[in-house]
Amino acid sequence: MSIQETFSLSLKNIWGSKTRTFLTMLGIIIGVTAVIVIVGLGNGMKKYMADSFSRMGTNTLTVQIMGRGSSRSVSEEEMYAVVEENPSLLEAVSPTVSMSSTVKAGTETLDSTKVSGVSEEYFAMSGYEIAQGRGLQYMDIQNRRSVCVVGGYVALTYYGGDAVGKTIRVGGDRLTIVGVMAQEAGEMEEGGTDDCLYLPYSTAARLSMVGTVSSYTFTLVDEEQAATAKELVENSLYQVFHDSNAYMVVSMSEMLDTMTSMINVVITILAVIAGISLLVGGIGIMNIMLVSVTERTREIGIRKALGAKEGSILRQFVMEAATTSGLGGILGILLGYVLSSAATVVITTLMDTALTVSPSVGAVLLAFGISAAIGITFGYLPARKAARLNPIDALRYD
């Protein structure tokens, strides 16, 4: 009997007991569906995290100077010198000063507006564009001018889109708006990316009375060399403070790698747990095939009496088990894609998060391959039992 004839006969036997076959496939269907959805969720989480870190800048190093009681300090000029001396690793640096002062536009209080002091290079480093007016300039930093650049949300909400030349108050000081940033987020909202105000870091240090700048942002020439660049900056700071607790250097790229590794571990564990149902499905297939061999003992005896060889009988039952498992795998894949699409809609709607559950082709092929392998593996024992039946005993079976 050819492979094609064996496959056709397997389909005929499966179709003859549809309900029993479906119940047999249920474990395989659930297992494959669970694996696909879980892996798809993991892919979505990794992409969402990569996008989030990308907006913060995965090609950046953030330096925080704590001092820890040391009488030593590091100046902005020394940090700029680190970049100038290492052009192969570091591209630019911007001192940053975060402020928590009250912001007012006329009589309106801007409770959610983020206020930061930065250098004139910060906008190019972050990929920000100026839609109106100009950005911060070197002389603004040097002369500690009371000027600022505001985000699109601030300009549109409080100045009707015409903010350049107007004033805004930060704490008790009045700043002149010299520029408006281009819209960054897909939708401008209070507290969002476009609800911001940037002023010269020298002015911010004066207004907040912090004296020295304690935070810096470096951009890297090559993101792949983040670890080397981080070590370089740490060594430069250690030469100043001689105490590794006096500063902290954070690499966004390394943080992303760490978070991605953690997600991979969690997803792998969940996928393995979900894959246990595939094992349960395989046991179900073996059980039902053993029942099928018992029910068809007389048929097997007749076939062997007519000259069917053991290999032919073995191949027929293995093919039947593999077909049952394979069909379960296909149904599981289809259901997995449907549930992935549904999960994407639910997550987007309920959590207001652009997270897409996207199954990978590799996970789909792996799940289907495992389901087919389980059918062959667990179908072999019943098939061997059928192939070894004594034809005389089989013919006598009632």
Side-chain angles (χ1 to χ4, degrees), residues 292-302 389 393-395 397:
S292 180
V293 169
T294 302
E295 290 177 345
R296 294 157 62 185
T297 300
R298 189 172 182 82
E299 173 196 331
I300 295 168
I302 293 172
L389 282 175
D393 293 337
L395 288 170
Y397 185 82

Side-chain angles (χ1 to χ4, degrees), residues 3 9 58 79 92 206 229 246 336-337 353 370 372 385 388:
I3 297 292
L9 184 59
T58 52
M79 299 302 272
R206 173 174 60 82
Y337 271 99
T353 301
I370 290 175
K385 178 182 176 182
R388 292 184 175 181

Side-chain angles (χ1 to χ4, degrees), residues 163-187:
V164 178
K166 306 293 175 58
T167 60
I168 189 170
R169 296 183 70 88
V170 176
D173 296 82
R174 191 183 301 273
L175 304 179
T176 301
I177 299 173
V178 296
V180 177
M181 293 169 53
Q183 181 175 340
E184 290 295 322
E187 182 178 346

Side-chain angles (χ1 to χ4, degrees), residues 38 264-274:
I38 289 173
N264 285 336
V265 170
V266 173
I267 294 302
T268 300
I269 292 173
L270 291 176
V272 169
I273 293 174

Side-chain angles (χ1 to χ4, degrees), residues 62 64 95-101 113-118 122 170 197-201 204-205 207-210 212-217:
T62 302
Q64 189 69 37
T96 55
V97 178
S98 296
M99 300 182 64
S100 56
S101 304
T113 302
K114 176 186 175 184
V115 181
S116 303
V118 297
Y122 183 79
V170 176
L197 183 153
Y198 292 101
L199 66 159
Y201 71 83
L207 296 181
S208 58
M209 294 180 289
V210 296
T212 58
V213 177
S214 60
S215 182
Y216 296 85
T217 302

